[in-house]
Amino acid sequence: MPSWNIHIAHVERLLAEEGAEGLGVRDVDAFLLGNLVPDIYVGYMVPDATMRIDYKLTHLTLRNHIPVPRCDEFWDFYCVNPRGYGADCVTDLVKGAWCHLVCDHVYNSHTRDWLARVGVRPGEEARIAKQADFADFGRTLSISMGIDVGAAVLAQCEAFPQYRIAGADARSAARVARSIVEENATNHLEGTPDYRLLTADFFEAARKEAHATMVEGLHKLIEAEKM
């Protein structure tokens, strides 16, 4: 799975290339937090969270060696056809959460395809090498954004349709994200890392597809809001 430095980098690229208005994003803080939301309650990114929600539920997937979240299911249920929630359900936090699932879906789908192509069976050895490569790739990215968890962001957390996000947990996630940004600056990698299993071309292809998918979807939501 892409780590938070990769998710944050995607947000920064989206905002730099498209602009918040061009993405239909009104609250950048809520959008950035949304890009981290699916990981808040799974237990490993925000260890002091007030509750746990099974990864299979937060990411709409099955737990296996390389899970592929069903981002299309989240899109259908909470973005384009928010049953029982109304159009106001499609907040910047929701848009960000969809982007997170897109990112995870694309990178993990590419990983599955890559392992099949090079003849490596999913398992513990592949998992360790994959995680190390993702960690190194994440350290090549320059990120700087933080999250201001104010009243407007907390209101979107309270109204998040998939499950309620407690204010304390939103603030904890923001602190974790800030520490990751600082750590990335301290341990930044220049050039191309010596990857163990994956390649620079692999990451470029996955990054390009994830970015394009997110841009296309967010533009569709802008058009839907006009109708």
Side-chain angles (χ1 to χ4, degrees):
M1 283 289 186
S3 50
W4 279 12
N5 48 9
I6 298 175
H7 286 292
I8 294 169
H10 269 287
V11 173
E12 295 194 10
R13 180 182 179 186
L14 286 167
L15 295 172
E17 295 186 6
E18 302 291 325
E21 184 177 353
L23 297 168
V25 171
R26 298 175 180 84
D27 189 326
V28 169
D29 290 299
F31 181 64
L32 177 53
L33 181 63
N35 273 267
L36 311 178
V37 155
D39 288 342
I40 289 179
Y41 287 120
V42 296
Y44 51 83
M45 289 305 303
V46 185
D48 63 345
T50 59
M51 64 178 176
R52 296 285 184 270
I53 302 177
D54 193 280
Y55 173 90
K56 299 191 299 293
L57 301 177
T58 62
H59 286 71
L60 304 176
T61 188
L62 299 177
R63 184 177 287 280
N64 51 38
H65 288 298
I66 308 174
V68 177
R70 297 190 299 275
C71 53
D72 288 348
E73 186 173 312
F74 185 97
W75 169 266
D76 289 341
F77 201 84
Y78 300 115
C79 295
V80 297
N81 187 24
R83 304 175 186 86
Y85 302 107
D88 290 343
C89 156
V90 192
T91 62
D92 292 321
L93 193 80
V94 167
K95 294 174 184 177
W98 173 74
C99 286
H100 176 107
L101 297 179
V102 166
C103 197
D104 284 2
H105 176 98
V106 169
Y107 279 86
N108 279 17
S109 293
H110 276 250
T111 301
R112 282 187 173 186
D113 292 344
W114 177 263
L115 294 182
R117 190 183 316 151
V118 299
V120 175
R121 294 186 61 184
E124 187 65 10
E125 184 175 349
R127 182 189 68 81
I128 292 172
K130 175 185 75 76
Q131 287 186 340
D133 285 350
F134 269 80
D136 284 348
F137 169 67
R139 290 168 58 197
T140 69
L141 304 171
S142 296
I143 53 177
S144 61
M145 287 183 67
I147 305 169
D148 180 9
V149 184
V153 173
L154 292 175
Q156 293 193 33
C157 289
E158 182 72 25
F160 187 61
Q162 192 178 10
Y163 45 84
R164 175 181 173 273
I165 302 162
D169 299 326
R171 287 186 285 269
S172 291
R175 286 193 293 271
V176 172
R178 171 50 62 187
S179 70
I180 288 171
V181 168
E182 293 171 351
E183 182 180 350
N184 242 47
T186 300
N187 299 312
H188 185 72
L189 285 176
E190 295 290 345
T192 302
D194 185 15
Y195 293 122
R196 301 151 187 81
L197 177 63
L198 306 172
T199 67
D201 287 344
F202 165 90
F203 283 111
E204 180 58 28
R207 188 183 187 203
K208 181 178 180 180
E209 181 180 333
H211 178 78
T213 303
M214 288 185 276
V215 169
E216 181 182 7
L218 293 171
H219 285 174
K220 285 181 179 179
L221 290 179
I222 293 174
E223 293 304 313
E225 290 174 358
K226 295 178 181 178
M227 296 177 65

